[in-house]
Amino acid sequence: MTPEQRTWKIGELAAATGLSVRSLHHYDEIALLRPSSRSPSGHRLYAGADVRRLHRIVALRGFGLTLTEIGRLLDGEVPDPRGLIRRQLDQVETQLAAAIQLHDRLLEVLNALDATEAPSDRTLLNLIEGMTTMTRLTQHELDEMTARRTEFRDSLTPTELADLEASRRQALESMTESELEEMRQRRAAMMPR
Amino acid sequence: MTPEQRTWKIGELAAATGLSVRSLHHYDEIALLRPSSRSPSGHRLYAGADVRRLHRIVALRGFGLTLTEIGRLLDGEVPDPRGLIRRQLDQVETQLAAAIQLHDRLLEVLNALDATEAPSDRTLLNLIEGMTTMTRLTQHELDEMTARRTEFRDSLTPTELADLEASRRQALESMTESELEEMRQRRAAMMPR
DNA sequence: TTGCTCCTCACGTCACGTGAGGTGGC
DNA sequence: TTGCTCCTCACGTCACGTGAGGTGGC
């Protein structure tokens, strides 16, 4: 007699959320999202609670968390969610630094290439070889950077950590007004489309 | 009687380049870098030419190319290296845009979390759920963004393309002096360590 | 009966990491 | 003989994509 008896079949849910049916199968397999019932013929039937859980999954996925982390978070097995987000932030900053470097190097190569008549792949290779000494970051090195950051963080006392975060927030907030917007404009200008 | 008879064993090469032995095994497997000879007992022996090829591989890998692309480039099977670099640039810009967005969202969540007393994961979930409507990018969507960019590019005439690139170069060059440096400073300021 | 949706395997992806089990001495 | 390096399989990773082959009608 409870309301909300409506259920969704997997295809309906997929269409509604933009996920693939295969993704929902996958979430079921890894026990991240199991439909609360099945039809007599074995079809997955998702109830309202399932749909709400799915929305959270999608949101958290948008934050770059792995499906395992999402599962633990949703099941209340994460003692320090703030720490989780902080680690995410560290990781993204590491990636960002690497991407910016790579972006700059690619632009340099492209400029040099454009300055050359009929650039052959020989030219390209010579160019690139000339840049070999520049810092290049592999996935492994990225992981290590992130690890070092985390390590550094963990070496701080709670007070020091609080200070560090306060100062970063302040740095960001102090430029929030026009500068931040300006920064975004520039970034946007660099991105075609 | 030619000079340069020196060869390297796989462990020596790995130690010298910082790569893992397994990576070199992998490059051999996929025919990206096969040692020019083997010892009687079957040990891989890398000659000078192999080492030079490896240096190029490492350099190109630093540009985010896949091993397949690197192989084709080194074997002269890429008709338009400039196009290859351009596509790389597009991809990196797409990633960059996504990473910046994610970074900003994570900061927001962290700030909101810090403003709360004893934040539980419930708090976190509510917060994040409130942001669900924000643009979130999956890998698939990123791929599509890059695809659209490439598509857009391919729809241009050579003249239009040249104009586009010229204007981008100009935009970058016009701010090269102090502005570009300033931009880097700001970026650096946002990155702890 | 014909579509359309659903089901369960199961292999492939990308660049290796990580043992397992065994041989050789650049 | 004891290490150390080398060898060849071969499974695992992460989040699914992509068929294959078959059943059911929320």
Side-chain angles (χ1 to χ4, degrees), chain A residues 71-190:
Chain A
R72 277 201 279 261
L73 204 53
L74 290 178
D75 296 341
E77 294 167 16
V78 175
D80 177 23
R82 184 141 59 180
L84 183 66
I85 300 296
R86 233 186 260 125
R87 284 191 296 279
Q88 265 316 99
L89 192 58
D90 277 356
Q91 217 180 69
V92 173
E93 284 175 351
T94 305
Q95 283 171 11
L96 216 43
I100 288 169
Q101 261 193 50
L102 179 52
H103 181 262
D104 291 352
R105 277 187 292 142
L106 281 167
L107 262 188
E108 278 183 61
V109 170
L110 204 52
N111 281 336
L113 230 45
D114 283 348
T116 314
E117 302 292 321
S120 62
D121 14 354
R122 281 225 143 285
T123 315
L124 173 62
L125 288 177
N126 287 339
L127 253 172
I128 284 178
E129 217 158 0
M131 305 182 68
T132 311
T133 47
M134 298 190 56
T135 333
R136 49 196 144 64
L137 302 168
T138 63
Q139 185 54 50
H140 183 59
E141 290 168 322
L142 282 179
D143 292 346
E144 284 188 336
M145 277 179 65
T146 304
R148 275 200 297 280
R149 273 190 185 167
T150 304
E151 203 179 299
F152 167 67
R153 267 230 156 94
D154 292 349
S155 75
L156 298 177
T157 64
T159 315
E160 288 171 325
L161 184 58
D163 286 353
L164 179 69
E165 294 190 342
S167 73
R168 179 168 63 183
R169 263 203 307 289
Q170 210 181 25
L172 265 165
E173 275 161 16
S174 71
M175 56 183 286
T176 292
E177 309 309 333
S178 62
E179 290 181 316
L180 228 165
E181 186 46 39
E182 194 191 326
M183 215 173 79
R184 290 210 173 108
Q185 297 284 347
R186 288 197 184 157
R187 279 170 179 168
M190 290 183 61

Side-chain angles (χ1 to χ4, degrees), chain B residues 13-114:
Chain B
L13 200 51
T17 59
L19 294 170
S20 69
V21 168
R22 177 63 179 116
S23 291
L24 293 171
H25 278 171
H26 184 58
Y27 297 168
D28 191 357
E29 272 172 39
I30 65 173
L32 177 58
L33 178 68
R34 320 215 99 133
S36 34
S37 64
R38 294 265 184 157
S39 77
S41 51
H43 291 193
R44 274 166 261 252
L45 295 179
Y46 294 89
D50 300 332
V51 177
R52 281 190 291 281
R53 185 174 168 97
L54 181 56
H55 278 147
R56 294 183 158 186
I57 291 171
V58 172
L60 289 167
R61 207 188 45 167
F63 279 81
L65 300 180
T66 66
L67 297 184
T68 307
E69 287 170 328
I70 293 175
R72 278 202 279 260
L73 205 53
L74 291 179
D75 295 340
E77 295 168 15
V78 175
D80 178 22
R82 186 142 58 181
L84 182 67
I85 300 295
R86 232 186 261 125
R87 284 192 295 279
Q88 265 315 100
L89 192 58
D90 277 356
Q91 216 181 68
V92 173
E93 283 175 351
T94 305
Q95 283 171 10
L96 217 42
I100 288 169
Q101 261 193 51
L102 178 52
H103 181 261
D104 292 352
R105 276 187 293 142
L106 280 167
L107 263 187
E108 278 183 62
V109 170
L110 204 53
N111 280 337
L113 230 44
D114 283 348

